[in-house]
Amino acid sequence: MANMIEKMVNEAIEATKSVFLVIKEKRGGQFKLEDCKPYVDAVNKMTVGEGQCKTVIDLHVQSVNAHYEILKGMTDYIRPEDDPFVEHFQTPPILEILYEEDPDFKKSMEKFIDAIAKNRALIGREAARRYGGMYGPTCVVDFAMSVGSVPNVVNKILVDLDIPEKHKKTILACKSWGMNTSYGFGAAFRAAIESGKSAAEAEEAEVKQFQFIYKEPVEAQARLMETHNLGGHGPYSSFDVRKYMAQYKEWMRPYVVAALKAGVHPANITAVPAYCVGDIGHHISQSAYNMFKSDMVFGIYDAVMQVFENTMRKALKEGAFKSEWDVLTVATGAPACAVAYILWLDSFTVPMVIDLLTKRFYNYCAMNPKRGEADELHNVDFMDVIARGEEILDISPLGAGGKIKGIEIDLSPIDKHEIVSNPQRYTYPACAITQRFAALMALADFPCYLTPECTTATLMTNIIAKNPGMPGAPVRACKGCAVTKLIKRNVPYVKGEGAGPCGYCEWYRAV
């Protein structure tokens, strides 16, 4: 176990630093696809540890290589308006491979698709609640079972559906950490209402669209890209998405088949290949280079990554990791604590930020009824990060006293950072009390660098490789949504239809 844990730590740090170092060098410049090569090289160094399933590691490594090589044959640039979607072209082809290789799973999916229509009252109700903002800020494509998310709605349908449990878990996973299309639940409903159609017509539109993404995943994703208009600059133009998905499907088929034969849970087959590719063209991207032009924004990224690496290596040295899950806990908890600490340096607390972003959300709903379903999802992620971070940072017994798994988190890189610790150099010097907070607000729209996705993806693949028969997604636990500090959508005292022991949340009865 010790050797495997050391392997996990080293692979996570190497992947994370590969992305960081590219951004450090290229920020403010012009993105080129070849900039992503260091990340690909880091992924190609991943090995199979003792007790791990090789086919799971292959799904990760080959997906990253397929993504990079296919894109290289199509383009050398991805524009910002297209880059969020690059990690949504993997699960649709993977799902179609599963349909073709496992006819029984396809039959179960067909039953689920029929059940969507039979549950149209549920679909309409949940879409209406999202449209009106009843649940507050939500993460529509959450990796957990949170209120207002796709996994939440899908679980409600699956609970009583008469199909094998294995298939239920796979359907749930494919639109969580697996990313079956870019569709955000409620979008068709919203578009219909805002185009003057009736609520009944909007419900029908939502049912049909939600069925479509499971019935024909590849075609559904292609059509979504043909109609996206992010920032008024649609449709998708960086590369031919149909050609990409066809080539990706061909590349990945033997690895999917091998994983099935090795007994890897199909839920993991839908998730592992998708979650690892986003650094190519999305996290290493023009949008990232633009955001990190700011010295303070990049300085925070730099300082947080030093906290992450120092604490990981300290925990490894002191034997704090007792299981593979402990590695993930420290890898995500240490940087979260660091972000909360930076927030405190400008005398902001987490409740202040949750209050601010939640109030803004409701005004945003009023001013932008045509808003995108995913608009606030990263604000939600950011709030969740800082809420967890403050719980770790706060004094005992209110918090963990700055420790995680018994290890004191090394926050010294923040105090010693030439930029982060000298905000007076980046504004009116005598009034420099909001600069770090301002930089954190930039990252609130793109928090993927604060608890890096490549870190989590690398570690989750390692964990799943150790436990290939157990679905790794979505999270089957209460994630303690930050917004529930203000909006009690997660308690048994709510009065709305569909409430249970955890309010409108579904984690307690995840299939």
Side-chain angles (χ1 to χ4, degrees):
M1 176 64 83
N3 289 338
M4 193 191 79
I5 285 176
E6 184 175 5
K7 174 187 104 75
M8 288 176 65
V9 170
N10 289 335
E11 288 179 354
I13 290 173
E14 184 150 3
T16 305
K17 288 184 73 174
S18 72
V19 176
F20 168 79
L21 291 172
V22 168
I23 292 173
K24 181 179 182 179
E25 178 188 350
K26 305 286 186 178
R27 68 188 184 101
Q30 179 79 7
F31 168 75
K32 296 291 183 185
L33 189 66
E34 64 187 18
D35 296 348
C36 304
K37 184 64 161 55
Y39 173 69
V40 179
D41 292 341
V43 169
N44 282 329
K45 293 177 184 177
M46 290 177 68
T47 60
V48 182
E50 183 180 354
Q52 288 188 319
C53 177
K54 180 180 181 297
T55 61
V56 173
I57 304 295
D58 285 344
L59 287 172
H60 182 121
V61 174
Q62 289 301 322
S63 183
V64 168
N65 280 276
H67 181 61
Y68 181 63
E69 294 298 332
I70 292 168
L71 286 179
K72 271 204 319 181
M74 294 183 172
T75 186
D76 63 353
Y77 180 76
I78 298 172
R79 64 191 185 120
E81 289 81 7
D82 291 341
D83 87 49
F85 308 110
V86 299
E87 58 190 359
H88 304 160
F89 299 120
Q90 296 75 41
T91 305
I94 296 287
L95 259 186
E96 293 198 357
I97 294 170
L98 291 178
Y99 293 169
E100 293 159 9
E101 298 293 332
D102 186 352
D104 289 338
F105 173 63
K106 185 178 181 183
K107 288 178 183 177
S108 290
M109 182 62 87
E110 289 169 350
K111 287 184 179 180
F112 170 69
I113 291 167
D114 290 341
I116 292 172
K118 292 175 183 176
N119 284 272
R120 64 177 57 251
L122 165 67
I123 297 294
R125 182 188 77 216
E126 294 301 310
R129 287 177 174 180
R130 284 192 50 80
Y131 170 70
M134 170 180 158
Y135 293 141
T138 62
C139 184
V140 67
V141 287
D142 206 346
F143 291 179
M145 310 293 295
S146 64
V147 178
S149 70
V150 171
N152 184 287
V153 175
V154 170
N155 196 74
K156 292 178 190 294
I157 298 171
L158 288 172
V159 165
D160 296 321
L161 191 61
D162 184 21
I163 60 174
E165 286 296 313
K166 184 177 184 180
H167 295 165
K168 288 185 179 184
K169 295 178 189 298
T170 305
I171 293 169
L172 188 62
C174 77
K175 189 67 172 151
S176 60
W177 291 24
M179 290 172 262
N180 177 31
T181 80
S182 303
Y183 186 67
F185 177 77
F189 183 95
R190 183 184 306 278
I193 291 288
E194 288 300 319
S195 67
K197 294 183 179 178
S198 69
E201 290 172 312
E203 179 183 276
E204 179 64 18
E206 185 63 40
V207 167
K208 287 183 176 178
Q209 178 60 40
F210 207 49
Q211 288 179 314
F212 186 35
I213 67 171
Y214 295 101
K215 189 179 295 182
E216 299 179 64
V218 168
E219 181 61 22
Q221 175 63 3
R223 292 193 198 175
L224 285 165
M225 294 301 94
E226 288 168 352
T227 56
H228 102 67
N229 194 31
L230 184 57
H233 297 285
Y236 206 97
S237 63
S238 294
F239 56 88
D240 185 330
V241 302
R242 281 188 167 84
K243 185 177 178 182
Y244 172 98
M245 287 188 281
Q247 292 184 27
Y248 181 86
K249 184 177 180 180
E250 182 180 3
W251 185 307
M252 290 301 296
R253 183 184 293 275
Y255 302 101
V256 171
V257 171
L260 286 170
K261 289 180 178 177
V264 178
H265 199 293
N268 294 328
I269 294 174
T270 68
V272 168
Y275 194 29
C276 55
V277 304
D279 292 275
I280 300 170
H282 177 34
H283 302 139
I284 299 174
S285 62
Q286 189 64 60
S287 57
Y289 293 179
N290 293 344
M291 180 176 74
F292 285 119
K293 284 179 184 178
S294 163
D295 287 346
M296 185 60 72
V297 175
F298 181 76
I300 287 175
Y301 179 30
D302 183 13
V304 170
M305 288 302 93
Q306 290 182 51
V307 172
F308 156 75
E309 182 175 1
N310 289 1
T311 306
M312 287 285 279
R313 295 204 183 281
K314 183 179 180 182
L316 181 64
K317 183 179 179 180
E318 297 186 18
F321 300 128
K322 306 303 181 185
S323 75
E324 61 268 31
W325 294 98
D326 288 349
V327 184
L328 182 64
T329 298
V330 175
T332 54
C337 179
V339 178
Y341 179 63
I342 294 169
L343 197 65
W344 281 12
L345 290 178
D346 274 5
S347 301
F348 281 89
T349 64
V350 170
M352 291 179 191
V353 178
I354 296 173
D355 182 69
L356 173 68
L357 294 180
T358 301
K359 285 177 178 174
R360 193 281 298 270
F361 168 76
Y362 283 114
N363 195 48
Y364 189 65
C365 290
M367 297 184 73
N368 296 278
K370 297 181 181 180
R371 67 190 187 278
E373 297 307 316
D375 283 9
E376 80 274 13
L377 77 82
H378 270 328
N379 275 193
V380 172
D381 292 338
F382 178 78
M383 287 189 280
D384 288 344
V385 167
I386 59 173
R388 183 184 178 202
E390 192 171 69
E391 288 173 357
I392 296 168
L393 178 63
D394 214 342
I395 60 168
S396 178
L398 298 176
K403 294 183 178 180
I404 189 165
K405 293 297 174 182
I407 298 296
E408 186 171 351
I409 295 171
D410 181 9
L411 297 172
S412 65
I414 297 170
D415 297 328
K416 296 175 182 177
H417 200 279
E418 190 67 18
I419 294 172
V420 179
S421 289
N422 289 285
Q424 73 279 359
R425 297 172 184 167
Y426 300 90
T427 185
Y428 181 73
C431 299
I433 65 172
T434 320
Q435 289 308 297
R436 289 171 289 219
F437 175 74
L440 285 174
M441 286 298 95
L443 288 158
D445 287 345
F446 207 169
C448 311
Y449 304 92
L450 298 177
T451 52
E453 288 187 18
C454 59
T455 311
T456 311
T458 302
L459 293 177
M460 277 306 302
T461 292
N462 272 280
I463 290 168
I464 290 169
K466 189 78 167 55
N467 309 276
M470 182 179 74
V475 175
R476 286 169 166 78
C478 175
K479 72 168 189 172
C481 297
V483 73
T484 60
K485 305 287 188 214
L486 297 181
I487 301 170
K488 292 302 177 186
R489 64 194 190 192
N490 62 323
V491 296
Y493 313 110
V494 297
K495 308 298 184 185
E497 179 65 24
C502 295
Y504 305 116
C505 193
E506 286 284 302
W507 76 264
Y508 73 96
R509 63 169 191 165
V511 298

